[in-house]
Amino acid sequence: MVQKIHENWKMRQISDASQKSAEWIPAVVPGSVYNDLLLNKKMEDPYWRDNEDKAFVLMEKDYEYIAGFSVTHKMLGMENVLLRFEGLDTLAEISLNGVDLGKADNMHRTWEFDVKDLLKGEGNQLRVILRSPINFVNSAFDKCYVHSVDHSLYGFPHLRKCHCSFGWDHGPRLPDAGIWRDIKLVGFNSARIDNVFVTQKHRKDSVDLGIQVEVFINQHSVKNGASCSYKVFITDPKGKIEEFDNSPETISIKNPELWWPNGLVNNAESSQLPGTQPLKIQPLYTVKVILLSAKGAELDVWEHRVGLRTLTISRQKDKWGESFAHEVNGKKIFGMGANYIPEDYILPRVNAKRTRKLLEQCAAANYNIIRVWGGGYYPDDYFFDICDELGLIVWLDLMFACAAYELTPEFDHNIRMELEDNIKRIRHHACLGLYCGNNELETMYTRWPDVKLSPVQKSNFHKIFEYIIPEILNENDPVTFYWPSSPSSGGAFDDPQDPNRGDMHYWTVWHGNKPYSDYRNQFFRYTSEFGISSMPALKTVESFTLPEDRNVYSYIMERHQRNYEGNAKILNYMSHIFLLPSDFDTILYTTQLAQAEAIKYGVEHWRRNRGRCMGTMYWQVNDAWPVASWASIDYYFRWKALHYYAKRFYRPVMISCEEKGLLDGGSNPNLQPRIKAKIEKSFRLSAANETLEEMKLTVRWEIRDKNAKVLKEKSVPVILPALSAVWLDKVDVPDIAVNDEYLSYHLLDGKEVISEGTVIFSLPKYFHWVDPKLSYTVEGDTITVKASAYAKSVEIRNRNEDLLLSDNYFDMNAGEKKVKILSGKPGTLRLRSVWEIK
C-alpha cells in the first residue's frame, strides 16, 4: 500500500549561527524553493528583466522543510514500511521524528529509507534540509578542477543535478532546490515487486512477451519458508482482457497490432487532441502483474503499457562508410525531429498537461523522434507514456553533458544507482529508441581546443561510458541499443566527428559563422544537432522587458540571449538573405524567417539524399524560459516560423527543390561581373515518401513572374516506392529573370495538393517584390487569405500572438488559401509577408 506525504508542509531559509532563521512559510510538495518563494511573494519573477541575479544569490543559502502527518492503522500493521523520495534536488538531509535517516546527493535517483520502527499513528514529523548547491560545487571545484562549459557555474560536474540549472547557452543560472517528485510511505508484507522486465520476440504472426518479475523478499519471511507467485493480465488495444496464471515466463500475443513511429502507417487510432489537429494514437497493450503470497493473497501490483515493436539502430558498411539509421519492425526509417531540453527552470511548473501539449505539437509538426538532451534530467513517466501514444521515438541521453567527471568510488556508486533506477523505470516503453551515454563528451575530449584534462579524467570517459554504463545496461536492459556519446562514430575516441559514420553535431554553421548554404555540402549519416537562433514573438519579448529594453542590443535583450554574441549572429544570418528591417517588430519576424529558411535548406537536402543521410534533429524544439534561442516553440507555446516550416519539411510525403543560383553568389551584383560565366540557373525536384506504402502521384511546376502569372509549366507523373526519395530530371532555366521570376512546385495525389513550395533564384533582399495586397476573411474556424501577387512567408497573427493554425508563414501564388484555426481567438488579424521587410 502507498500513502503520499504531500500535505501540511512549510519551509524557511536557514541562516548561519550568527543570524536568526527566516520565518516559516507554507510550502508545496512536490515543489521547490523558488516555487514556494514565488507563491508566497518572497521573491520576484526570475524571468523578468535581469531578476535572475537576485534569484541566484538565494541559492547560496540552505533551506528547511518540515511536515506533520498521520499514518493509518493499516500502514502501521504492514511488516515493512519504506519512506520513498522519488526526487530530491539535490543535497538533502532527512530525519523522521528526530531520528536522522540519511543524506541524498543525486536528484536523478529514488531514495528509500526503512522507517517501520519510527512511525506512530499521530504526530509524525518529517524534516528535510536542502543544502546550497552553489556552495557545494564551488567548494568541490576548488578542491578538484573539472572542465565544464563557460556558460555554467564551474564545478557543476561534481554534483548529480540538472546541469543546465547552473547556466547554459540557452538558459539562466537558476540552480533551484526542492522535493521535486513524490514522497510516499510504501508498506508491504513479505514481498513486493521491485520491477518487471518485459521483453519481446517477434514471429511471423505473433509476439512472445517475456515476463521477468523482479521481487524484493523480506528476509524474515524467506527463512520461514514463504514463497510467492504471480499472474498476468494482458489488455489489448481494443480493451479485450486475457488472464495468465501460474507465473508465466512467456505469453504469446496472436495477430499483434504493431507500434510504429508517427506518420509511417495508418494503423493508429485518430483522436482529436486539445489544442492541435487530429493525431494518431498508437496501439498499446496493458500488462498487469499481480504478485501473490503462498496463500494466494495479493501482495503487490505492477501495471504499465507496452507497444509491440522491434526498434534498434542499423549500422552497416556501405559505399560511403557506415550507415546509422533507426530500424523499426525491420524497416529503416528517416528520423525527423528535434532536441528537447527541460521545459522550465522551476521544475514544479512542468506537469503532464504542459508536456502533453508540447509533445502533441511535435507530433503535429510530423516529428517521429525526439532527443532528450543530456544536460537536463530524466523525464517523468508521463513524458514516455505520451511518446508511446504519439509514436515519437525517444533518443535518451543519459544525464552527462559537456564536462569532465572525477570518477571517485563514491561517484561510481552514485551513478550506478542512478542508472539502475532510471533504466528500470523506463525500459518497458515502446518509444525508447536508444540510450546515449552523454552529450558531446567524446568530441569535447578530442576536438575542443580549450579543454584541459588530466590523463585520469580522460580515462574516466572510457570507464564510465564504455564500461560502467554498458555493464549496467547488460544487467538491466540488454535489448535497447546503446550509443556511447553524441556525436560519435562508435566510441574509443575514434574520430567522433567522422561525417561518414555515426551521428553528427554540425555547428560550423552558426558557431563557425559559415553561411547556411554550406548545409548542402554535407552528407552526414545522421545530423543529431544543428541550428540557427532567432528572436521570439513580440508578446513573448514584452513578457520580460520594459519598452526601453526593446532593442536587440539592449542589456536586457542580451541577458535573455545566453549564447555569446548571439544577437549579433542572429542579425548576421538575417542579413545574408533579407534587407534590414526598419522597426523592432519586423526584425523579430525576419529573424524567425532566416532561422526557418536555414533549417529547411538543410533538412530538405538531407531528405533528398535519403539512404546516405537517415535522420535530422534540429536544435531545439522548446525553451525553458522566455529567451532568444534556437527553439521552434517558445516558452509560452508560441510557434515560431520554424515550427510551421517543420510541419511542411517533415511531412511524410514531401516535395523539395535543389535549385542553383540562390545562395552561390550568382545573384550578388558585386560578384556578377567576375563570375557571370560560372553561374548555373537550374532546378531539380525531389519527392520523399516516408511511409510504408508505394504512392503514384503527380509533380507539377510553373515558372511565374512576381505577380504570380504563369510563364511556363509542366506536369510529370512519379512513382514513389515506400521509404524512398526520388529525384526528377534536372531542368535548366538559363533565361530566368532571377529578381523578377520564381519557381512554384506541387506534389499532387489526384487533384489534392499534399506538398508544395516556391524558390527564387536570387535572394529575398534582391528580389523585386510587389505588394501582394494581403487580405482576409474569417468564417467559423476558417481564415481565407487572399493575395494579388506572389507572397512569401505570409504570417497570420492576432493581437496576443497565440493562434495555433493549420498553416502559417506560407508562400502564395496570388489567389486564396484557406487556413484552419486550431486554437485561439482570431479577433482582428494582421497579415504580412517578405514584401514588408524594408
Side-chain angles (χ1 to χ4, degrees), residues 78 342 503 716 794 821:
M78 291 287 167
D503 72 310
V716 181
V794 175
I821 301 170

Side-chain angles (χ1 to χ4, degrees), residues 595-773:
Q595 176 193 39
E597 290 288 337
I599 303 307
K600 170 180 177 281
Y601 196 82
V603 170
E604 291 187 347
H605 162 69
W606 289 314
R607 285 196 70 182
R608 287 193 291 269
N609 287 279
R610 190 193 193 282
R612 184 175 184 179
C613 310
M614 286 301 289
T616 61
M617 295 189 290
Y618 62 80
W619 183 270
Q620 65 212 55
V621 61
N622 63 307
D623 281 328
W625 71 313
V627 63
S629 79
W630 298 270
S632 61
I633 300 175
D634 79 18
Y635 177 72
Y636 295 106
F637 286 95
R638 294 185 174 103
W639 286 26
K640 294 183 182 179
L642 173 55
H643 210 71
Y644 284 102
Y645 272 54
K647 186 177 180 181
R648 296 192 289 267
F649 62 60
Y650 278 156
R651 282 187 65 97
V653 182
M654 181 270 294
I655 189 170
S656 66
C657 178
E658 183 180 81
E659 74 293 339
K660 298 290 186 180
L662 178 60
L663 295 174
D664 60 2
S667 59
N668 187 327
N670 296 319
L671 297 178
Q672 282 183 1
R674 286 180 289 160
I675 64 171
K676 187 174 181 180
K678 300 179 182 178
I679 297 174
E680 177 185 344
K681 288 178 282 187
S682 66
F683 68 88
R684 194 177 183 194
L685 299 174
S686 174
N689 177 13
E690 206 59 37
T691 76
L692 297 183
E693 299 178 3
E694 179 182 275
M695 305 195 75
K696 297 180 180 180
L697 305 172
T698 301
V699 171
R700 188 182 75 228
W701 59 262
E702 307 96 23
I703 300 294
R704 296 172 179 259
D705 68 16
K706 58 191 176 186
N707 291 300
K709 179 183 178 182
V710 175
L711 306 177
K712 183 180 181 180
E713 62 183 322
K714 187 174 183 179
S715 294
V716 181
V718 61
I719 296 175
L720 300 182
L723 302 175
S724 71
V726 174
W727 285 96
L728 278 70
D729 291 340
K730 176 182 171 183
V731 179
D732 291 313
V733 285
D735 299 325
I736 192 168
V738 295
N739 291 324
D740 292 283
E741 298 170 359
Y742 69 100
L743 171 71
S744 177
Y745 51 90
H746 324 268
L747 186 62
L748 297 94
D749 186 359
K751 295 183 179 181
E752 180 187 2
V753 176
I754 58 176
S755 177
E756 62 184 345
T758 72
V759 296
I760 60 176
F761 293 81
S762 176
L763 292 169
K765 62 184 177 181
Y766 299 142
F767 196 79
H768 299 152
W769 303 99
V770 295
D771 183 358
K773 295 183 172 56

Side-chain angles (χ1 to χ4, degrees), residues 56 248 502 837:
F56 179 81
I837 302 174

Side-chain angles (χ1 to χ4, degrees), residues 95 436 453:
S95 63
C436 178
L453 298 172

